[in-house]
Amino acid sequence: MSDSSSTSIALPWLEPHQPFPPVEQALDADSPWHGLLAAGGVLDAVTLRMAYAQGIFPWYSQEQPILWWSTDPRMVLRPRNFRFHKSLRKRMAHFQADPACEIRVNHAFEQVMHACAEPREGQDGTWITPDILSAYVDLHHQGLAYSVETWVHHQLVGGLYGVALGHAVFGESMFTRIPDASKIALAALIGICSAQGVEMIDCQQETAHLAHMGASPIPRAEFLQSITRTQHQPPLNWTCQADCWRLLGGNPPANSVRCGLLPISKTPC
């Protein structure tokens, strides 16, 4: 692998379903590819589950081989640290009072992924390749990947998706088509996680936007201790009840949250 300056690095090359190397072998913060652990292998639901269980995630562009990462430090958002800014609180008050507005959970997972893959201003392409989409949809069908969605007048206007192994919750990507739609979905996810005692939501890498919402970096070792423990807890119940919203200081939306039919969420809202 090389960058524009032709600096090359040596990486372990994985065969399909070969075990990952120890995450401590990932490139450190002095490298321009901080957190890069390995390349190759295969991208399917089995490998994704194995990767997330070890704090590893895929991230690569269409023209690259599959690249696997484990950053140190790790950016995480603890539900108790979520910054419910005044502007978002005001937006949510209007949202909650409008019967045309809904939060749905696991209702349109593939549609959310397609929306997250759409070109964005200042970006040439997307890392959500067809192979990525296919693998995460398979993981969703196994009840291990989730979506939280913002709907207005029965139109999907924002949302996010991620992976959940037990109480270990990993965020992947979000999108918005109207102001704050993705933040409202994030607030709903925070409410779901808060109500069930989730310790943290993995955000993978540091960004100013995530920091603004309350996320902060922690040592990878601390992050791994948490997910090693929590992934063996019972699966999350994705039915977002009234308590989820009250934990955020608000009332439930005029329309109850709707949940898709997944093994992890059989109880209808």
Side-chain angles (χ1 to χ4, degrees), residues 103-107 238-240 257-261 265 267-269:
I103 291 292
R104 302 182 186 179
V105 180
N106 295 327
H107 181 81
W238 290 101
T239 303
C240 185
V257 177
R258 298 182 179 181
C259 299
L261 298 179
S265 181
T267 305
C269 296

Side-chain angles (χ1 to χ4, degrees), residues 138-217:
D138 285 347
L139 203 64
H140 173 66
H141 290 157
Q142 295 180 21
L144 300 176
Y146 65 87
S147 60
V148 182
E149 310 144 14
T150 311
W151 293 75
V152 177
H153 293 292
H154 305 292
Q155 298 295 315
L156 179 65
V157 297
L160 55 86
Y161 77 94
V163 173
L165 306 178
H167 275 44
V169 180
F170 308 83
E172 276 299 321
S173 186
M174 60 176 61
F175 80 99
T176 190
R177 291 174 177 155
I178 63 173
D180 290 337
S182 61
K183 292 180 182 178
I184 291 172
L186 177 59
L189 175 62
I190 292 294
I192 293 169
C193 290
S194 295
Q196 298 179 73
V198 170
E199 294 180 11
M200 62 183 68
I201 300 168
D202 176 34
C203 303
Q204 298 176 352
Q205 302 188 62
E206 295 185 53
T207 69
H209 173 71
L210 290 170
H212 180 70
M213 300 301 292
S216 59

Side-chain angles (χ1 to χ4, degrees), residues 25-266:
Q25 293 183 16
L27 299 178
D28 61 26
D30 294 331
S31 168
W33 303 286
H34 168 221
L36 184 55
L37 176 66
V42 65
L43 196 69
D44 59 16
V46 172
T47 306
L48 282 177
R49 182 171 185 170
M50 181 172 63
Y52 279 92
Q54 300 172 62
I56 300 166
F57 59 91
W59 184 37
Y60 61 100
S61 57
Q62 187 84 43
E63 69 278 4
Q64 293 176 324
I66 303 170
L67 300 177
W68 302 95
W69 304 74
S70 181
T71 52
D72 186 15
R74 191 72 163 230
M75 194 72 162
V76 302
L77 176 55
R78 300 182 188 275
R80 66 175 182 270
N81 292 339
F82 178 63
R83 291 177 182 162
F84 203 27
H85 294 285
K86 183 177 180 180
S87 59
L88 178 58
R89 192 179 296 273
K90 183 177 180 179
R91 180 86 65 179
M92 284 188 64
H94 289 291
F95 182 90
Q96 291 165 311
D98 189 343
C101 298
E102 301 173 88
I103 291 292
R104 302 182 186 179
V105 180
N106 295 327
H107 181 81
F109 181 88
E110 188 169 351
Q111 194 175 345
V112 169
M113 282 203 69
H114 278 290
C116 289
E118 291 174 357
R120 304 184 188 188
E121 185 177 353
Q123 295 182 352
D124 296 329
T126 177
W127 64 272
I128 303 176
T129 65
D131 287 346
I132 285 275
L133 196 149
S134 176
Y136 280 86
V137 168
D138 285 347
L139 203 64
H140 173 66
H141 290 157
Q142 295 180 21
L144 300 176
Y146 65 87
S147 60
V148 182
E149 310 144 14
T150 311
W151 293 75
V152 177
H153 293 292
H154 305 292
Q155 298 295 315
L156 179 65
V157 297
L160 55 86
Y161 77 94
V163 173
L165 306 178
H167 275 44
V169 180
F170 308 83
E172 276 299 321
S173 186
M174 60 176 61
F175 80 99
T176 190
R177 291 174 177 155
I178 63 173
D180 290 337
S182 61
K183 292 180 182 178
I184 291 172
L186 177 59
L189 175 62
I190 292 294
I192 293 169
C193 290
S194 295
Q196 298 179 73
V198 170
E199 294 180 11
M200 62 183 68
I201 300 168
D202 176 34
C203 303
Q204 298 176 352
Q205 302 188 62
E206 295 185 53
T207 69
H209 173 71
L210 290 170
H212 180 70
M213 300 301 292
S216 59
I218 64 172
R220 181 173 56 206
E222 180 182 346
F223 168 73
L224 293 176
Q225 288 175 358
S226 174
I227 66 168
T228 299
R229 179 177 62 257
T230 58
Q231 66 184 273
H232 299 297
Q233 294 176 344
L236 290 180
N237 177 2
W238 290 101
T239 303
C240 185
Q241 301 176 12
D243 286 347
C244 298
W245 294 95
R246 294 193 182 104
L247 285 167
L248 294 170
N251 295 314
N255 284 344
S256 297
V257 177
R258 298 182 179 181
C259 299
L261 298 179
L262 276 179
I264 53 176
S265 181
K266 293 182 179 178

Side-chain angles (χ1 to χ4, degrees), residues 1-3 6-11 27 33 36 39 64-65 67 69:
M1 176 180 177
S2 63
D3 66 3
S6 300
T7 301
S8 61
I9 57 173
L11 279 178
L27 299 178
W33 303 286
L36 184 55
Q64 293 176 324
L67 300 177
W69 304 74

